[in-house]
Amino acid sequence: AQSVTQLGSHVSVSEGALVLLRCNYSSSVPPYLFWYVQYPNQGLQLLLKYTSAATLVKGINGFEAEFKKSETSFHLTKPSAHMSDAAEYFCAVSDPDMRFGAGTRLTVKP
Amino acid sequence: NAGVTQTPKFRVLKTGQSMTLLCAQDMNHEYMYWYRQDPGMGLRLIHYSVGEGTTAKGEVPDGYNVSRLKKQNFLLGLESAAPSQTSVYFCASTLTGNTEAFFGQGTRLTVV
């Protein structure tokens, strides 16, 4: 089965700074890739998904991710962090069953 | 539109007891999943189903059983609970493979 690896279990940024959360996938063919966000004591909700239509994918809340086949990466970025972005973020791959990375907890400092 | 509903939301079991977690979705989704979430390990797939009457093993199936007798329901059973099964359990559904997953609110299970 395909898998994803998230680099960095915890990322801390200042409010207004760039957010970069890293995800690499294992597949040799372009997979279906997703980013989800989890707020405390809640289930996960979709931020964005890659389905091969475009390499740069825009999601909700100002997040975007770029699919790079040469690097087998699908990193999540946001130009300017907001306090409300503090949450845990999960990269996932569909094969077609949905498999998740270990998650990255984002902390935003005032 | 309720989406995905899990019951119960909290449960404490003694070692060796059995229980069933219920997941219900009202979106006519074909695929349903059970995950467990543990600190630092993300969500690990226990079992999943690609349609009514089907089930398949995920990454960590041992100690769990599932059934999908009706399309809208996916049951997760623990026959003899162990402390290692203390976790938060999430159910999810997708319309088909490779589509967005919709999650329930989770079930916090403690086995003592």
Side-chain angles (χ1 to χ4, degrees), chain B residues 26-69:
Chain B
D26 61 2
M27 297 172 284
N28 201 34
H29 283 179
E30 290 295 330
Y31 286 50
M32 296 187 75
Y33 308 80
W34 276 108
Y35 297 91
R36 59 177 290 172
Q37 184 176 27
D38 302 291
M41 304 188 76
L43 278 77
R44 291 181 291 169
L45 181 63
I46 304 171
H47 286 280
Y48 65 102
S49 167
V50 301
E52 180 179 316
T54 75
T55 63
K57 293 181 180 180
E59 302 167 88
V60 289
D62 294 343
Y64 305 95
N65 56 76
V66 288
S67 64
R68 184 103 180 266
L69 299 179

Side-chain angles (χ1 to χ4, degrees), chain A residues 32 36 38 90 94 98-99 102, chain B residues 35 37 42 59 98 100-101:
Chain A
Y32 288 84
Y36 289 85
Q38 184 182 33
F90 293 93
S94 183
M98 190 81 69
R99 305 273 175 133
Chain B
Y35 297 91
Q37 184 176 27
E59 302 167 88
N98 305 328
E100 174 188 357

Side-chain angles (χ1 to χ4, degrees), chain B:
Chain B
N1 189 342
V4 179
T5 303
Q6 292 181 231
T7 52
K9 291 183 170 50
F10 301 94
R11 185 72 186 269
V12 178
L13 283 181
K14 294 182 178 179
T15 298
Q17 286 185 319
S18 64
M19 77 163 294
T20 300
L21 281 67
L22 171 64
C23 177
Q25 53 94 5
D26 61 2
M27 297 172 284
N28 201 34
H29 283 179
E30 290 295 330
Y31 286 50
M32 296 187 75
Y33 308 80
W34 276 108
Y35 297 91
R36 59 177 290 172
Q37 184 176 27
D38 302 291
M41 304 188 76
L43 278 77
R44 291 181 291 169
L45 181 63
I46 304 171
H47 286 280
Y48 65 102
S49 167
V50 301
E52 180 179 316
T54 75
T55 63
K57 293 181 180 180
E59 302 167 88
V60 289
D62 294 343
Y64 305 95
N65 56 76
V66 288
S67 64
R68 184 103 180 266
L69 299 179
K70 293 183 178 181
K71 186 177 183 179
Q72 63 268 34
N73 296 335
F74 194 31
L75 278 64
L76 177 70
L78 285 72
E79 291 185 347
S80 179
S84 61
Q85 294 177 304
T86 293
S87 187
V88 180
Y89 292 84
F90 284 99
C91 176
S93 70
T94 60
L95 180 61
T96 61
N98 305 328
T99 57
E100 174 188 357
F102 290 82
F103 283 81
Q105 291 298 299
T107 297
R108 187 172 295 276
L109 174 66
T110 302
V111 183
V112 296

Side-chain angles (χ1 to χ4, degrees), chain A:
Chain A
Q2 297 186 34
S3 64
V4 288
T5 302
Q6 291 184 243
L7 302 177
S9 59
H10 188 201
V11 170
S12 181
V13 301
S14 298
E15 192 172 20
L18 171 72
V19 175
L20 171 60
L21 305 181
R22 301 176 187 273
C23 173
N24 289 89
Y25 63 90
S26 65
S27 174
S28 59
V29 297
Y32 288 84
L33 293 163
F34 304 78
W35 276 99
Y36 289 85
V37 61
Q38 184 182 33
Y39 298 102
N41 301 313
Q42 294 187 25
L44 279 70
Q45 55 185 280
L46 182 72
L47 271 179
L48 51 81
K49 63 181 178 182
Y50 169 75
T51 57
S52 77
T55 56
L56 183 63
V57 182
K58 294 189 182 298
I60 62 171
N61 300 337
F63 284 94
E64 61 183 35
E66 186 172 8
F67 176 80
K68 290 188 176 180
K69 185 177 179 181
S70 60
E71 299 177 6
T72 61
S73 69
F74 190 57
H75 301 333
L76 181 70
T77 60
K78 182 173 180 178
S80 176
H82 191 272
M83 297 296 290
S84 61
D85 294 327
E88 188 147 21
Y89 292 80
F90 293 93
C91 182
V93 62
S94 183
D95 187 25
D97 55 300
M98 190 81 69
R99 305 273 175 133
F100 289 83
T104 298
R105 182 167 299 280
L106 175 66
T107 301
V108 182
K109 298 175 291 186

